[in-house]
Amino acid sequence: QVQLVESGGGLVQAGGSLRLSCAASGDTFSKYGMGWFRQAPGKEREFVAAISRVTGSTDYATSVKGRFTISRDNAENTVYLQMNNLRPEDTAVYYCAARRALGVSYSQVGYDYWGQGTQVTVSS
């Protein structure tokens, strides 16, 4: 079982950048594919980005493609989400998640473990 702790959220102006981190513990990090999801007030949780556990292949939601970058450092047991050119509509609680299966998943049900979330607020 893996435990996940997100950090790096905060308040930023539109056009600014933030880097979220998700530190994993309790199991071998490289065994897990990782994903980021977000949930805005009154909305369902949605997929943001994912990175696979073997090839490191990535995929992104259309709304963040070209602005966000997911990466992982297996030596540091951490997955990152670099967010550039932030928009007010990016405001949400951001969650990282881990999956044991191969490949990436766009669905919450494809993930086995979740962090507690970190708040990102983008002001206009």
Side-chain angles (χ1 to χ4, degrees):
Q1 182 168 335
V2 65
Q3 292 80 47
L4 305 171
V5 179
E6 302 96 333
S7 61
L11 173 64
V12 63
Q13 288 188 331
S17 298
L18 282 174
R19 188 176 80 156
L20 304 183
S21 300
C22 174
S25 61
D27 200 353
T28 305
F29 180 65
S30 59
K31 292 165 54 178
Y32 295 89
M34 302 299 296
W36 286 96
F37 289 74
R38 67 186 181 186
Q39 188 168 19
K43 295 189 177 181
E44 292 187 354
R45 193 173 298 188
E46 64 176 4
F47 170 77
V48 175
I51 186 165
S52 68
R53 67 179 177 92
V54 176
T55 65
S57 61
T58 60
D59 210 345
Y60 299 89
T62 301
S63 60
V64 307
K65 197 169 292 185
R67 300 188 297 124
F68 290 12
T69 303
I70 187 171
S71 62
R72 64 188 297 156
D73 185 336
N74 288 343
E76 295 293 328
N77 297 334
T78 302
V79 62
Y80 302 98
L81 186 68
Q82 177 66 44
M83 306 186 295
N84 297 329
N85 192 20
L86 283 160
R87 305 168 180 169
E89 53 264 39
D90 295 318
T91 295
V93 177
Y94 283 71
Y95 299 89
C96 75
R99 61 186 258 114
R100 292 185 295 264
L102 291 172
V104 299
S105 175
Y106 313 102
S107 172
Q108 295 181 61
V109 299
Y111 292 84
D112 305 293
Y113 304 101
W114 292 82
Q116 83 291 346
T118 185
Q119 176 71 48
V120 171
T121 303
V122 185
S123 63
S124 57

